[in-house]
């Protein structure tokens, strides 16, 4: 079955810096890769996703890149702000009915 | 939150007692999921449903059962709770597109 590894487990940056979180997956049949942000005491919130027919997707300060050959995808946050502090999860699955497999999460801390 | 509510939000129960968690959605999504979240493990799929009365096992289904008698409700039951089932439980839904999560239920088994 699918296995998703996520690095780093914690990431501390200064406000205004960029942050990059990386994930690798094992199942070449996976074609859907969402990223979730989870704030303390809340459920995960979808922030961006990418499908395997696209190499990069951007939404304001957030971007995701996908390398199907190497089976890895990354989340890039530019101009970080304190409100970006949260735990971020990557996941891999298939479009349509989704049995997502999640990474173990990255705790991002943005210091003012 | 895509119209997803979970109840109860917090529960403390004793080992050996049955527990039922409820997930209710107002989006008429076809697919519903139950996950558990534990430190160091991320989110792991317990059971899922692809329609009314259609359910199947996920990665960590031992000790759990589910039922879906209506599109909007998906119940997770721990027949005899154990301390290893202390966790935060999340329900999620999707309609073949993005998956949305509920606010979670924190369950403590003493």
């Amino acid at each position: 079955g699918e296995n998703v590894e996520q690095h780093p487990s914690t990431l501390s940056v200064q406000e205004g810096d960029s942050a990059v979180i990386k994930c690798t997956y094992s199942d070449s049949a996976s074609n859907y890769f969402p990223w979730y942000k989870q704030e303390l005491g809340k459920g995960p919130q979808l922030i961006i996703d990418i499908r395997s027919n696209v190499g990069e997707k951007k939404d304001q300060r957030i971007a995701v890149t996908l390398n199907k050959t190497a089976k890895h995808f990354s989340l890039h946050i530019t101009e970080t702000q304190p409100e970006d502090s949260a735990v971020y999860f990557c996941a891999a699955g298939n479009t349509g009915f989704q049995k997502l497999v999640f990474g173990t999460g990255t705790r991002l801390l943005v210091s003012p | 939150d895509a119209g997803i509510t979970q109840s109860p939000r917090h529960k403390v129960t004793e080992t050996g007692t049955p527990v039922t968690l409820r997930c209710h959605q107002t989006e008429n999504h076809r697919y519903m999921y139950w996950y558990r979240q534990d430190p160091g493990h991320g989110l792991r799929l317990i059971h899922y449903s692809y329609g009314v009365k259609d359910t199947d096992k996920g990665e960590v289904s031992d000790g759990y059962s589910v039922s879906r008698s209506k599109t909007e409700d998906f119940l997770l039951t721990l027949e005899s709770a154990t301390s290893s089932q202390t966790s935060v439980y999340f329900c999620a839904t999707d309609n073949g597109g993005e998956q949305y999560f509920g606010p979670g239920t924190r369950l403590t088994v003493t």
Side-chain angles (χ1 to χ4, degrees):
Chain A
E2 177 64 274
N3 182 54
V4 176
E5 295 190 356
Q6 182 173 346
H7 300 281
S9 57
T10 58
L11 180 59
S12 294
V13 300
Q14 293 291 318
E15 182 178 0
D17 288 348
S18 295
V20 180
I21 302 170
K22 298 180 179 180
C23 289
T24 61
Y25 63 99
S26 61
D27 189 351
S28 57
S30 292
N31 60 8
Y32 177 66
F33 307 93
W35 285 89
Y36 287 84
K37 175 184 180 182
Q38 187 177 26
E39 297 175 336
L40 195 62
K42 296 185 178 181
Q45 179 185 12
L46 179 70
I47 56 172
I48 195 168
D49 58 15
I50 191 168
R51 288 166 170 80
S52 60
N53 59 345
V54 175
E56 183 174 358
K57 184 177 179 180
K58 190 173 181 179
D59 182 4
Q60 298 182 10
R61 295 187 297 109
I62 294 174
V64 57
T65 58
L66 171 64
N67 183 327
K68 288 187 294 181
T69 303
K71 296 201 195 71
H72 68 70
F73 56 112
S74 300
L75 177 71
H76 304 254
I77 306 174
T78 59
E79 301 173 21
T80 54
Q81 302 168 3
E83 52 265 39
D84 294 328
S85 296
V87 179
Y88 292 81
F89 291 96
C90 64
N94 292 282
T95 53
F97 174 53
Q98 301 170 7
K99 285 175 62 179
L100 295 176
V101 176
F102 284 81
T104 51
T106 296
R107 184 174 300 278
L108 174 64
L109 176 62
V110 181
S111 302
Chain B
D1 291 339
I4 303 171
T5 57
Q6 293 184 232
S7 58
R9 294 293 313 279
H10 301 271
K11 187 171 181 66
V12 179
T13 192
E14 293 184 349
T15 298
T17 59
V19 176
T20 295
L21 308 183
R22 179 180 184 240
C23 177
H24 179 78
Q25 58 130 337
T26 59
E27 301 296 318
N28 202 37
H29 284 173
R30 176 180 176 184
Y31 306 110
M32 297 186 75
Y33 312 80
W34 276 107
Y35 293 88
R36 60 178 289 172
Q37 184 174 42
D38 305 288
H41 290 277
L43 291 138
R44 293 181 291 174
L45 183 64
I46 305 171
H47 280 279
Y48 59 95
S49 169
Y50 41 94
V52 173
K53 292 186 169 54
D54 289 325
T55 65
D56 207 345
K57 297 178 180 180
E59 177 189 1
V60 289
S61 60
D62 287 348
Y64 302 95
S65 63
V66 290
S67 66
R68 191 166 177 204
S69 58
K70 298 185 290 185
T71 298
E72 57 266 36
D73 291 326
F74 193 31
L75 304 181
L76 177 70
T77 297
L78 292 67
E79 301 291 346
S80 177
T82 67
S83 59
S84 65
Q85 293 176 313
T86 291
S87 187
V88 180
Y89 292 86
F90 287 99
C91 172
T93 75
D94 76 67
N95 209 29
E98 295 89 4
Q99 195 166 120
Y100 297 97
F101 283 79
T105 293
R106 182 173 295 276
L107 176 68
T108 302
V109 183
T110 61

